[in-house]
Amino acid sequence: MQNRLTRLLVTLLAVSAAPVSAASVQEASSAAVVPAAPLPAAAPAQEIARKHKVLLLGDSLIATGFGEYLQAQLDAHPRIQSARRAKSSTGLARPDFFDWMDVGREEVERHQPDVVIVILGGNDGQSLQDTQGGKPIPWGKAEWEAGYRQRMEKFLAVLASPGRKIVWLELPATGLKRFEQKLGLIRAVQREVISSRQDAVHLDTRPFFTDAKGRALRQARVDGFRKPMRLRMEDGVHFTIAGGRYFANKVYPEVLGVLGLLQG
């Protein structure tokens, strides 16, 4: 009896000590481990819209209130980044004093703007000088108009680039009779040259600064002021603080239209 028990015990120990095959282990593992569900793909980062670059160029009108207000409005828009370069008492007539050809080239190369806004010409009713010591072309001579047209064309060629728009602001009406006689010719040449180009927009400012009878507007209602405000300083040309803001408020939506943007 004891021998039978001993043999049974030995058999049981042998079975429990039998090696387990690799296949058995793999099968057990497969049954025990549940594969994890794949993680969802990460959502692509939202594309950040590129800002449109706007460059402002001009004389004292850009240097002072109007230019400052317009630049502030542009920079407040979430899709616009602006830069400004101005020099008072300048134009295209006197490159020997300030050469807008060189300056314009430097500025567009530096900023690579999508839109260039320009207001120049109020100081151009004088002889056309050059930087080479050539003979001046006197104001009032027949050849002055042709010479000024060439300068406009050259300046626009300097500013132009594929895909870029140039917005040329017409010199605002002043109501100063003698000054307006000069400005009339300058405006006409500028309008002709600008209108001949596909990449340029001539912004007519007459509706902003004349009343229903075509007379120069002396005062107007301006955002931020409770009563109608005087638009011009004593010289009749430069803007008051209110006048600069008034003009900027008129130009700003026009620039947004050129950029295809909504007011922000």
Side-chain angles (χ1 to χ4, degrees), residues 21-33:
S21 68
S24 300
V25 172
Q26 183 176 4
E27 181 179 355
S29 300
S30 299
V33 179

Side-chain angles (χ1 to χ4, degrees), residues 23-55:
S24 300
V25 172
Q26 183 176 4
E27 181 179 355
S29 300
S30 299
V33 179
V34 179
L39 295 175
Q46 185 176 3
E47 183 180 354
I48 300 175
R50 184 183 72 86
K51 285 196 173 186
H52 298 277
K53 296 181 180 180
V54 179
L55 174 62

Side-chain angles (χ1 to χ4, degrees), residues 210-231:
T210 54
D211 61 18
K213 295 183 178 180
R215 297 173 301 194
L217 200 62
R218 301 297 180 186
Q219 62 179 22
R221 290 198 171 275
V222 183
D223 291 345
F225 296 88
R226 295 182 179 180
K227 61 180 182 179
M229 300 297 295
R230 186 163 56 91
L231 302 179

Side-chain angles (χ1 to χ4, degrees), residues 15-257:
V15 171
S16 62
V20 179
S21 68
S24 300
V25 172
Q26 183 176 4
E27 181 179 355
S29 300
S30 299
V33 179
V34 179
L39 295 175
Q46 185 176 3
E47 183 180 354
I48 300 175
R50 184 183 72 86
K51 285 196 173 186
H52 298 277
K53 296 181 180 180
V54 179
L55 174 62
L56 286 70
L57 301 176
D59 54 23
S60 56
L61 297 184
I62 289 290
T64 54
F66 163 65
E68 293 171 349
Y69 280 122
L70 181 57
Q71 184 177 23
Q73 288 180 303
L74 293 170
D75 284 340
H77 195 288
R79 294 288 310 282
I80 297 176
Q81 174 184 342
S82 71
R84 180 165 55 106
R85 179 70 183 271
K87 179 69 173 177
S88 298
S89 303
T90 64
L92 300 180
R94 292 290 306 275
D96 57 319
F97 169 65
F98 189 83
D99 194 347
W100 272 109
M101 303 296 176
D102 286 344
V103 172
R105 183 181 296 106
E106 292 170 0
E107 292 299 313
V108 294
E109 288 178 356
R110 177 180 297 115
H111 300 288
Q112 295 296 315
D114 300 293
V115 172
V116 181
I117 302 171
V118 187
I119 185 165
L120 281 173
N123 302 296
D124 284 341
Q126 58 179 301
S127 296
L128 300 179
Q129 309 281 346
D130 64 26
T131 57
Q132 308 301 320
K135 185 179 180 180
I137 303 176
W139 169 262
K141 296 293 183 179
E143 57 266 32
W144 188 95
E145 184 175 340
Y148 192 67
R149 183 180 295 106
Q150 290 176 356
R151 293 197 180 188
M152 280 288 298
E153 292 169 349
K154 182 180 178 181
F155 185 51
L156 291 169
V158 164
L159 301 181
S161 183
R164 179 177 297 156
K165 279 288 188 180
I166 300 169
V167 179
W168 195 281
L169 307 182
E170 183 177 85
L171 296 167
T174 65
L176 304 175
K177 187 175 181 179
R178 293 184 62 183
F179 190 42
E180 282 294 318
Q181 289 175 349
K182 286 189 173 185
L183 294 186
L185 176 58
I186 295 168
R187 290 190 191 107
V189 175
Q190 291 183 348
R191 187 183 309 114
E192 174 190 344
V193 175
I194 296 296
S195 300
S196 69
R197 299 181 62 99
Q198 296 294 321
D199 61 350
V201 176
H202 177 268
L203 181 58
D204 183 3
T205 63
R206 284 174 297 179
F208 307 156
F209 293 100
T210 54
D211 61 18
K213 295 183 178 180
R215 297 173 301 194
L217 200 62
R218 301 297 180 186
Q219 62 179 22
R221 290 198 171 275
V222 183
D223 291 345
F225 296 88
R226 295 182 179 180
K227 61 180 182 179
M229 300 297 295
R230 186 163 56 91
L231 302 179
R232 304 278 187 164
M233 298 177 69
E234 294 299 328
D235 62 9
V237 176
H238 295 93
F239 295 116
T240 60
I241 292 176
R245 180 179 295 182
Y246 170 83
F247 193 18
N249 289 344
K250 297 294 186 181
V251 173
Y252 176 63
E254 301 289 341
V255 178
L256 294 187

